[in-house]
Amino acid sequence: AQKITQTQPGMFVQEKEAVTLDCTYDTSDQSYGLFWYKQPSSGEMIFLIYQGSYDEQNATEGRYSLNFQKARKSANLVISASQLGDSAMYFCAIDNDMRFGAGTRLTVKP
Amino acid sequence: NAGVTQTPKFRILKIGQSMTLQCAQDMNHNYMYWYRQDPGMGLKLIYYSVGAGITDKGEVPNGYNVSRSTTEDFPLRLELAAPSQTSVYFCASADASSGNTIYFGEGSWLTVV
């Protein structure tokens, strides 16, 4: 089975600054993809960004970008210009078996 | 524009009771999943299905059963409910042709007392 690790249970960032949320994975598959989801306090799961293992350029979606380092098996989420509304739980997942990491709780300080 | 629909949204069960959480998707997705999320924790995969008639165990299948008789529906059955099954349950679906993006239902809050 694949394994997803998020080593930061909680992170704080000042409003308008950038923050990186870590995610490492363990898979023997050659083809796979990594997701990031946001879960605000209201509970719904919101898709943020996806990158496939064969994508050559790091994925970006607005203020979200994925720092994908295949050799290190890491897929860190970078949020630029943090906003108060970014405060939430963030989960990464690998698509081969749709397993999620334990999550990181991000708090944006005004 | 329904997407993934879960019912019920809230339920209180007594220990030993059984119930079924319903999940339906109208996107013709072949993959469907059930997760549970305990308070302050991540999502744990209970069961998944890659198509009608095919189901498989995830990380935490004990105490649950599923079936997938149609593409649209993927009910989760709890037999002999236990307090340890108090959790939020999410159903999700995905289609490989759309980049494997997972679409989630809104969650079902289950309390076993």
Side-chain angles (χ1 to χ4, degrees):
Chain A
Q2 334 285 337
K3 187 175 178 182
I4 294 283
T5 304
Q6 293 180 254
T7 58
Q8 307 154 312
M11 289 283 286
F12 290 89
V13 65
Q14 207 66 39
E15 193 178 8
K16 300 181 185 176
E17 292 187 349
V19 62
T20 298
L21 306 183
D22 295 341
C23 175
T24 58
Y25 59 91
D26 184 15
T27 180
S28 56
D29 292 344
Q30 294 301 307
S31 177
Y32 54 90
L34 278 301
F35 295 97
W36 277 91
Y37 277 79
K38 172 184 178 181
Q39 187 180 43
S41 57
S42 52
E44 72 268 32
M45 296 290 287
I46 301 169
F47 168 76
L48 294 179
I49 197 166
Y50 171 86
Q51 175 142 4
S53 57
Y54 287 108
D55 293 339
E56 293 191 354
Q57 296 213 337
N58 284 342
T60 60
E61 292 284 349
R63 294 186 298 110
Y64 304 108
S65 60
L66 215 156
N67 182 4
F68 187 50
Q69 298 185 42
K70 195 171 175 179
R72 300 179 66 179
K73 293 190 174 179
S74 74
N76 300 336
L77 177 70
V78 180
I79 305 175
S80 62
S82 297
Q83 301 172 356
L84 296 178
D86 294 335
S87 293
M89 285 290 290
Y90 289 81
F91 296 98
C92 68
I94 189 166
D95 67 354
N96 283 7
D97 63 2
M98 296 300 194
R99 299 198 181 198
F100 283 74
T104 296
R105 180 172 297 281
L106 177 67
T107 303
V108 180
K109 296 180 179 179
Chain B
N1 213 16
V4 180
T5 304
Q6 291 181 233
T7 56
K9 197 169 180 67
F10 300 96
R11 183 73 185 267
I12 298 175
L13 273 182
K14 292 186 178 178
I15 295 171
Q17 285 185 324
S18 300
M19 75 159 296
T20 299
L21 296 175
Q22 301 291 345
C23 176
Q25 53 93 6
D26 60 0
M27 297 172 282
N28 203 32
H29 286 170
N30 40 359
Y31 302 126
M32 293 189 76
Y33 308 88
W34 273 107
Y35 295 91
R36 61 175 286 173
Q37 185 179 28
D38 298 335
M41 307 293 284
L43 282 79
K44 294 290 187 184
L45 182 64
I46 306 171
Y47 270 95
Y48 67 98
S49 169
V50 299
I54 306 169
T55 62
D56 213 340
K57 296 178 180 179
E59 302 168 89
V60 290
N62 291 346
Y64 307 95
N65 275 301
V66 293
S67 59
R68 185 92 182 272
S69 56
T70 66
T71 299
E72 294 79 19
D73 300 302
F74 191 41
L76 177 72
R77 177 97 180 142
L78 281 74
E79 304 282 1
L80 298 174
S84 61
Q85 292 178 303
T86 294
S87 192
V88 180
Y89 291 83
F90 286 96
C91 179
S93 72
D95 183 347
S97 66
S98 62
N100 278 339
T101 301
I102 316 168
Y103 296 82
F104 281 88
E106 294 184 335
S108 297
W109 274 252
L110 177 66
T111 302
V112 182
V113 296

